Amino acid sequence: MRPHKSKLLHAFTMLRRNGRSYLLLSVTIVLSFALLLGYLFYMDTASYNKYKYIFAMNEELVGVSHHTTTAASTQLEEQLISKAEELGSCSAERIFYTTIELDSADSHATEDGQQVYIPPISVIAVPPEMGTQFFSGSGEGSGWDILWLDGEEHEVITIGQGEAAMEEDFFYALGLDKLDEPEWTFSGENDKGGAFSLTVRIVALLRRNDGTADFSDYLDAYLATGDSNQSGWPTMLLSQLDCSPGNYARGYWHDSLYLYTANAEEVSQLAEQYFGDSAFSAVEAQNEARQTLQTQMQTKALLTVAILLLL
């Protein structure tokens, strides 16, 4: 018998004799790599969802996040803007936040005659025109997508006087989608007394993209009963021409400042000197994200090698 035939027969003999062991080993290898690929896919997907807004940020962005609006904080912001302009070209956007407590007896009749209770409104007051950077990732997920009712793409957010963007769930709950030109009037009281009343034309909808999936059910429950057992109110985007610390005297305004400059690193250092941990920059956030992703890649490589060695 030729040597190569002898070796071939021996191989088949060993395969028949140890077939079950070879089969179990093959299954183990396939399952191990399937689990490894599943884990790597999960990690890549999680990393993408976590950092996609950070990498979408304008590298020129430097900001100071939510802090109480006071004369002192406003003065610091003006100083920061002045210092940033000394370093080079710089544009600034200031955004204000508050909650409007509506009249306690307020209710609203929808187009089909249903009475609903109106919760307090979380207000984001923006300048008449601003870049869309704030809503495309000024932090770890901006939390909002903007759907313009004119059906067009907008390079800038344009909320003029008498206009508003309203949270999508709230918009439909009020039945405003049934109107040809949706408008809404709401009223409350200033801290210093006197009524605050505003009629706005809805030009855009805000859709949550931060994973707050149960907000719609919670909002439906509040609108039906007026009873709240958790925090969180529907959000509206208003023009600063209609609602700002200057024309709506509330005691708990907050604001954020967004600077766009080619000298982001230098301006970021200044912002940290003025505002400490409230300051952030796109460049720093992206660098930190890259370091985290690099560490994850190294961990995945070591895990792959370890599995190969075990097999």
Side-chain angles (χ1 to χ4, degrees):
M1 181 178 295
R2 294 179 180 178
H4 68 275
K5 288 187 177 181
S6 176
K7 292 180 180 179
L8 187 62
L9 289 175
H10 177 71
F12 277 113
T13 301
M14 295 301 296
L15 180 62
R16 287 197 303 270
R17 183 180 302 171
N18 301 293
R20 180 179 177 81
S21 298
Y22 290 153
L23 179 61
L24 291 176
L25 178 60
S26 300
V27 170
T28 300
I29 293 174
V30 171
L31 288 177
S32 298
F33 276 101
L35 290 173
L36 175 62
L37 291 175
Y39 171 75
L40 296 179
F41 177 78
Y42 168 78
M43 291 295 294
D44 288 342
T45 302
S47 297
Y48 171 78
N49 290 330
K50 182 176 182 180
Y51 296 115
K52 61 181 178 181
Y53 291 106
I54 291 179
F55 287 113
M57 292 165 64
N58 187 332
E59 292 185 354
E60 296 184 346
L61 172 64
V62 177
V64 180
S65 58
H66 292 255
H67 59 273
T68 304
T69 304
T70 63
S73 69
T74 300
Q75 184 178 9
L76 283 177
E77 288 179 348
E78 294 298 337
Q79 292 177 9
L80 176 60
I81 293 172
S82 177
K83 291 288 186 180
E85 289 175 342
E86 290 177 4
L87 292 173
S89 177
C90 175
S91 63
E93 296 172 349
R94 185 180 284 114
I95 301 173
F96 296 100
Y97 308 83
T98 193
T99 299
I100 294 182
E101 301 281 350
L102 303 183
D103 290 337
S104 58
D106 245 358
S107 63
H108 173 83
T110 62
E111 286 299 297
D112 56 9
Q114 179 185 3
Q115 292 291 128
V116 294
Y117 292 89
I118 305 300
I121 305 298
S122 294
V123 170
I124 304 175
V126 298
E129 286 193 0
M130 63 174 289
T132 58
Q133 180 66 41
F134 171 69
F135 284 89
S136 61
S138 58
E140 190 175 310
S142 66
W144 300 105
D145 292 322
I146 298 184
L147 311 174
W148 296 95
L149 294 184
D150 60 12
E152 298 180 2
E153 295 290 334
H154 289 235
E155 293 185 1
V156 296
I157 297 172
T158 52
I159 303 294
Q161 189 167 17
E163 297 180 339
M166 178 180 284
E167 186 156 353
E168 186 178 31
D169 291 332
F170 193 46
F171 178 82
Y172 287 107
L174 296 179
L176 299 180
D177 58 306
K178 298 179 175 63
L179 301 177
D180 293 333
E181 294 186 1
E183 288 187 347
W184 190 52
T185 300
F186 56 98
S187 59
E189 291 185 357
N190 285 328
D191 282 352
K192 299 179 181 178
F196 175 87
S197 182
L198 186 62
T199 297
V200 291
R201 181 171 62 91
I202 310 303
V203 296
L205 303 181
L206 303 176
R207 177 179 295 170
R208 295 180 181 237
N209 63 23
D210 59 357
T212 317
D214 61 344
F215 180 78
S216 179
D217 293 337
Y218 158 66
L219 178 61
D220 290 342
Y222 185 95
L223 294 172
T225 65
D227 183 28
S228 170
N229 59 6
Q230 72 179 73
S231 61
W233 305 115
T235 297
M236 288 184 66
L237 212 61
L238 298 177
S239 170
Q240 292 177 8
L241 299 174
D242 291 318
C243 188
S244 69
N247 56 25
Y248 180 63
R250 298 298 294 178
Y252 44 85
W253 277 98
H254 293 77
D255 72 271
S256 294
L257 175 66
Y258 298 91
L259 302 173
Y260 298 91
T261 171
N263 304 292
E265 293 186 3
E266 294 90 339
V267 174
S268 176
Q269 293 174 2
L270 289 172
E272 290 177 0
Q273 292 175 15
Y274 282 111
F275 293 97
D277 292 339
S278 295
F280 66 89
S281 75
V283 171
E284 289 184 2
Q286 290 170 355
N287 288 339
E288 290 176 1
R290 290 188 183 97
Q291 290 178 0
T292 301
L293 291 174
Q294 184 176 6
T295 301
Q296 290 180 356
M297 289 180 62
Q298 292 172 350
T299 301
K300 289 186 287 188
L302 291 174
L303 180 62
T304 303
V305 171
I307 290 179
L308 290 173
L309 292 175
L310 289 173
L311 296 177

